[in-house]
Each structure stands twice: as C-alpha cells, then as structure tokens.
Amino acid sequence: AIRMTQSPSSFSASTGDRVTITCRASQGISSYLAWYQQKPGKAPKLLIYAASTLQSGVPSRFSGSGSGTDFTLTISCLQSEDFATYYCQQYYSYPSFGPGTKVDIK
Amino acid sequence: QVQLQESGPGLVKPSQTLSLTCTVSGGSISSGSYYWSWIRQPAGKGLEWIGRIYTSGSTNYNPSLKSRVTISVDTSKNQFSLKLSSVTAADTAVYYCARGGYDSSGTWGQGTLVTVSS
C-alpha cells in the first residue's frame, strides 16, 4: 500500500501569507496526485489534480507542483476563506489520502 | 450540473450491514466515463477511500475493506450503492459519495453520518 504523509500537520498563518504544504508518497506515483480543501462540516473540494492542474473555478492563487514522491501545494496570498484542512490523495494505485494539514488563523 | 445525495439509515447495529445509496441528479449515471466512489471520514479524523465503480461496472475496493464491501449501480434509478457488512463501532463515520475521473473526484455529495451502535 502507498502511504501518504503531509507536513506540517497544522500551522497558523495570516491573511496575505504565502503558504506551502508538503505531501510525500512512500513510493513513486508519477503525477497521480490531487489536492482537496475541506472546511468543517462540508465535503472536500477538489483544488488540483494531476499534481499541478487547477480544477475549473479554483482561484489561481492555488498551485501545485511535484512528481514522483514529493509534492507541494502553494497558496500565494492566503485569503480568509482559505482557512481549512488540506488533503493530498494519490491515484497511482488504489486511492489513498494523506492525513491532512490544518491551516488556521494566527 | 451534476449533484449527488447520500441516503440511508443513520444508525446501524454492530455485526449488521450498512447500506447507503447515492442518487445522481442533473445527469445520467451511465453517460460519460466516470468513477463513482465512496469515501468516509470518522469524526475529527481524515478521509478514507472505500471503493469505486466505473461506468462500465468494474469495481475497485480498498484492500483493507475489500472483504466487506460491495458497490453497485442501478442505472434505472440513476443511483449507486454501498454495502458494508459486519460493521463495528470503527465504521462510524460520515460517508460521502463522489464522482470523478481516474485521477480525482470533482463532485461530492454533502455526506451522511452513520453511527454503529446497539
């Protein structure tokens, strides 16, 4: 089974900050990686797929990069609506999610 | 725009079978090339992928749940379903249905809480 890890598990940030979340796979997954945002009590929302392709309707301040085992999600200028938990998910084998990274207000 | 809605009992007894249905509106479940998935999330915890069924009817399951899971499609009702047998308290979670391609799930239902308790 492919294990996904994320770092950090949580952190505090301020509106306007540039933030980066890292996701690592236990083995190479090419670019079969997606990023989701989840707010409390809501379903996850797809942000990025194929490691770097922005889902339609998602603001351009979100970007993804990486391939193989190491991936990053970057929010270029954090907005108030971006405080949430972020999950990566690999699709190389049967899908599995990372443990999540919670971004809260500093 | 396609929308998904989960439905089913909110309370299931231990050792029984959990049965949920996802109703698809705004489009046909048999059109296009999509994966129809089930994902769950215990309270305060992360997401766990349960399994999926492709438009063709082929299925994939999480190996850790495979022996207990069945996902099926009813095209006449525009629904797909999840059955999870021999449930325990560890199966208590919010269950989501979702639609997507091979590489992601772009459309999700709102989720439904299932509690396993006697």
Side-chain angles (χ1 to χ4, degrees), chain A residues 32 34 36 38 42-44 46 49-50 87 89 91-92 94-95 97, chain B residues 39 41 45-47 49 52 62-63 96 102-106 108-109:
Chain A
Y32 286 101
Y36 297 84
Q38 187 180 33
K42 300 295 186 181
L46 176 64
Y49 61 94
Y87 294 93
Q89 182 188 18
Y91 281 82
Y92 186 80
Y94 78 87
F97 291 91
Chain B
I39 299 103
Q41 185 173 36
K45 296 188 178 180
L47 300 161
W49 182 81
R52 65 189 177 192
N62 186 325
Y96 295 101
Y102 181 82
D103 59 356
S104 59
S105 293
W108 293 61

Side-chain angles (χ1 to χ4, degrees), chain B residues 57-79:
Chain B
S58 64
T59 54
N60 303 110
Y61 299 129
N62 186 325
S64 69
L65 298 169
K66 186 175 183 177
S67 63
R68 298 194 291 132
V69 174
T70 302
I71 296 175
S72 59
V73 167
D74 186 337
T75 56
S76 67
K77 295 182 179 179
N78 223 33
Q79 298 174 333

